[in-house]
Amino acid sequence: MLARSIRTMTATEANEAIRAFMSARADRPLWPEEQAEYERLLEAWAAAVRRDLAMAA
């Protein structure tokens, strides 16, 4: 599904992936497996933000 590993995504890439993922669901509730995928993407975004903050410090 994702071209890059979730672990190596930048915050921008993760944000774009989250937006595309949610847009494809047309504002309907997520199925359990979709919720799990959303949570993985959100985790990737948070990790990328933490990496960016650590590099800036």
Side-chain angles (χ1 to χ4, degrees):
M1 178 185 127
L2 298 172
R4 282 183 79 171
S5 167
I6 284 181
R7 295 181 193 270
T8 62
M9 291 178 115
T10 66
T12 300
E13 290 169 333
N15 187 37
E16 289 170 0
I18 290 168
R19 287 176 181 271
F21 182 82
M22 294 307 290
S23 290
R25 272 107 195 123
D27 295 327
R28 68 168 170 75
L30 298 177
W31 297 335
E33 56 275 357
E34 292 173 325
Q35 181 66 35
E37 178 65 14
Y38 170 76
E39 290 173 11
R40 282 190 292 273
L41 290 169
L42 190 58
E43 229 175 86
W45 174 81
V49 169
R50 284 191 297 273
R51 280 193 307 272
D52 289 350
L53 289 174
M55 290 173 60

